[in-house]
Amino acid sequence: MSITLNSPLDMHLHLRDEEMLSVVGPLSSESFSGAIIMPNLVPPVSTKEGLLSYKERILKACKNDTFTPYMTLFFKPTYTKAFLASVKDELTAIKLYPAGITTNSEGGVSGFDVDELRPTLDAMSELEIPLCVHGETNGFVMDREAEFVSIYEMLATNFPKLKIIMEHITTKESVAALEKFDNLYATITLHHLFITLDDVAGGMLQPHLFCKPIAKRPEDRDALRKVALEGHPKVMFGSDSAPHPQHAKESCGCAAGVFTAPIALQVLTEFFVKYSTVEKLQDFVSNNARNIYSNIEIPNKTITLEEKEFTVPQKYADVVPMYAGEKLKYSITEIN
Ligand code: DOR
Ligand code: ZN
């Protein structure tokens, strides 16, 4: 059986920089038409010059592939409307991290004081710049995302014209929030459709499945699966593929992040063929993003996948992918 996907998009991707960028960049740019690029470098991407030079480095790493990096800035409540107007044409969204919640997020937001955030968020609303949010409090790790729903509600009601994307949702509470507010949208990763906390820590600890937000309960995963498989129009695929060198994962103080970019389309295809339809997969991996991010231009690319075994490499350079060494049912056989 052969499946064709038109212009797949990854609406949440970590490409890093330098050596790592040269390894992981082409693995996404080959099979995706574009991706929202996360700004959590060290230091974070927070100036126009920084953003433009990072985009150039990405394009260089991705060589001649037809691929658009949709750039983001690291949210700061000090961004003025004049600054945002000057950078608007160069970016697709702004990413907000709570301070210290995940990899390289130390300079993020603390306190979520609406008056402190208002000038920047009002300006983003007026300029129609979407806000992507890592939605976790610093509460108990399993409850962080559910606790953050009240902050999403505060943002959604105070800034009704702002498009707010709840990134990498992992809970049934976030799925429910989608239905409550017109201006809330979500990305869902590959790994959160497949794993629960049991897969991470129920047996021997699996560092390559450790990520933020941590995978939750089976009923949470089921809620994510439902909206993904039905091609819910407010839900987009965002891999959150987050490469770390092997030594940083297989160590005391394991870094958070699951590396899925090179296996995402193959795994999603098997999943949707089994439980849904290829049309819904097309919605999940491209059409919904096209509708939600009305400001993006998407290069044409056709990906053909066939039912042909693909053994996931043990490593890509020094990065261990999800399902390393395992056999997948679908392979990418043609890219045009
Ligand atoms: O697991 C994660 N890894 N979650 C994030 O939010 C950041 C990411 C990273 O940059 O490594
Ligand atoms: Zn991320």
Side-chain angles (χ1 to χ4, degrees), residues 36 50 61 75-76 78-79 118 124 142 169 174 177 181 190 198 205 230 239 248 250 274 284-285 295 332-333:
I36 294 265
F75 181 89
K76 294 196 176 201
T78 48
Y79 290 151
R118 188 175 295 285
M124 287 174 62
M142 286 294 279
I169 59 170
S174 296
F181 296 94
L190 184 78
D198 246 10
L205 191 64
E230 73 190 25
S239 70
E250 297 176 8
K274 189 163 175 200
F284 182 57
V285 296
N295 56 347
I332 295 175
T333 51

Side-chain angles (χ1 to χ4, degrees), residues 14 16 40 102-103 134 168 211-212 240 242 244 256-257:
H14 297 269
R16 315 298 191 207
N40 61 332
T102 189
T103 311
H134 182 120
H168 43 53
C211 62
K212 298 291 176 66
D240 198 13
H244 292 276

Side-chain angles (χ1 to χ4, degrees), residues 68-332:
T68 305
Y70 303 119
M71 303 305 291
T72 63
L73 280 180
F74 188 98
F75 181 89
K76 294 196 176 201
T78 48
Y79 290 151
T80 61
K81 186 168 179 194
F83 167 70
L84 293 173
S86 76
V87 77
K88 175 185 161 37
D89 290 344
E90 311 299 341
L91 55 71
T92 301
I94 295 183
K95 174 74 186 286
L96 186 156
Y97 288 92
I101 203 68
T102 189
T103 311
N104 305 333
S105 63
E106 290 70 23
V109 170
S110 324
F112 286 89
D113 173 10
V114 69
D115 293 325
E116 191 199 352
L117 302 176
R118 188 175 295 285
T120 304
L121 294 182
D122 275 343
M124 287 174 62
S125 302
E126 282 168 42
L127 295 164
E128 297 182 9
I129 302 173
L131 178 74
C132 300
V133 181
H134 182 120
E136 290 193 283
T137 66
N138 50 16
F140 179 65
V141 69
M142 286 294 279
D143 298 334
R144 288 176 188 175
E145 185 177 300
E147 286 174 5
F148 199 88
V149 168
S150 62
I151 299 177
Y152 279 129
E153 293 188 358
M154 178 277 280
L155 293 170
T157 44
N158 276 279
F159 306 97
K161 296 223 166 77
L162 184 65
K163 279 189 178 165
I164 301 166
I165 294 107
M166 304 188 287
E167 295 294 334
H168 43 53
I169 59 170
T170 61
T171 60
K172 56 184 177 6
E173 286 81 3
S174 296
V175 171
L178 264 185
E179 307 299 341
K180 282 218 271 190
F181 296 94
D182 285 350
N183 57 335
L184 284 185
Y185 304 86
T187 56
I188 296 180
T189 72
L190 184 78
H191 45 288
H192 291 122
L193 288 172
F194 292 94
I195 63 171
T196 67
L197 184 61
D198 246 10
D199 297 291
V200 186
M204 304 272 270
L205 191 64
Q206 300 300 321
H208 298 292
L209 298 180
F210 172 65
C211 62
K212 298 291 176 66
I214 193 99
K216 305 291 188 314
R217 297 175 175 78
E219 57 269 33
D220 293 302
R221 183 182 57 180
D222 290 347
L224 304 179
R225 287 182 160 197
K226 180 171 181 296
V227 284
L229 290 168
E230 73 190 25
H232 191 299
K234 296 180 90 182
V235 169
M236 306 167 270
F237 175 62
S239 70
D240 198 13
S241 178
H244 292 276
Q246 187 172 16
H247 69 83
K249 294 291 288 175
E250 297 176 8
S251 72
C252 176
C254 166
V258 184
F259 180 54
T260 54
I263 61 160
L265 293 177
Q266 299 90 323
V267 175
L268 285 174
T269 298
E270 180 173 348
F271 184 55
F272 275 72
V273 167
K274 189 163 175 200
Y275 293 109
S276 179
T277 62
V278 175
E279 289 70 35
K280 299 293 181 196
L281 176 58
Q282 177 65 36
D283 290 342
F284 182 57
V285 296
S286 185
N287 300 352
N288 293 345
R290 187 188 292 270
N291 294 333
I292 294 167
Y293 280 93
S294 36
N295 56 347
I296 54 173
E297 282 181 23
I298 306 170
N300 283 328
K301 192 180 271 191
T302 311
I303 308 294
T304 306
L305 295 111
E306 284 177 49
E307 208 173 323
K308 185 171 160 215
E309 201 170 88
F310 168 55
T311 305
V312 181
Q314 291 291 351
K315 288 205 231 179
Y316 290 86
D318 194 23
V319 189
V320 178
M322 186 179 176
Y323 296 142
E326 293 185 36
K327 290 183 181 14
L328 304 181
K329 200 166 165 188
Y330 282 84
S331 302
I332 295 175

